Amino acid sequence: MNRKQKIIKKTAKRAKAKLNKHTPPTIKKYVSKAERAANQALKDKEASMNIIDEISTTEKDKAE
């Protein structure tokens, strides 16, 4: 290989290595059943509050 070919080969290797960089995985914390149940309860509570708010605003609109 001549000098120019070596340089081209080296730059290609660098470009390939740049694309193949290892990214560390995101850390996912274990969520216990109790925590999952608590989170679900909060979501359900918020959803029910949103429904109640929508119902009350529509009743006010009807009254007007």
Side-chain angles (χ1 to χ4, degrees):
M1 256 192 256
N2 63 24
R3 185 172 180 216
K4 195 171 187 178
Q5 288 172 325
K6 284 182 183 179
I7 292 171
I8 291 170
K9 187 177 181 181
K10 190 180 274 188
T11 54
K13 273 188 169 181
R14 286 181 186 159
K16 186 177 179 183
K18 202 173 194 179
L19 290 175
N20 293 333
K21 270 189 173 177
H22 174 72
T23 56
T26 57
I27 298 170
K28 293 186 178 180
K29 185 184 134 201
Y30 173 75
V31 181
S32 68
K33 284 184 180 179
E35 289 178 33
R36 273 185 262 150
N39 289 338
Q40 189 62 41
L42 280 173
K43 287 180 184 177
D44 293 342
K45 185 177 179 182
E46 289 175 359
S48 66
M49 292 300 287
N50 289 338
I51 292 170
I52 292 170
D53 291 340
E54 290 174 7
I55 292 171
S56 64
T57 54
T58 54
E59 287 176 358
K60 288 179 185 176
D61 294 339
K62 288 179 183 177
E64 294 175 354

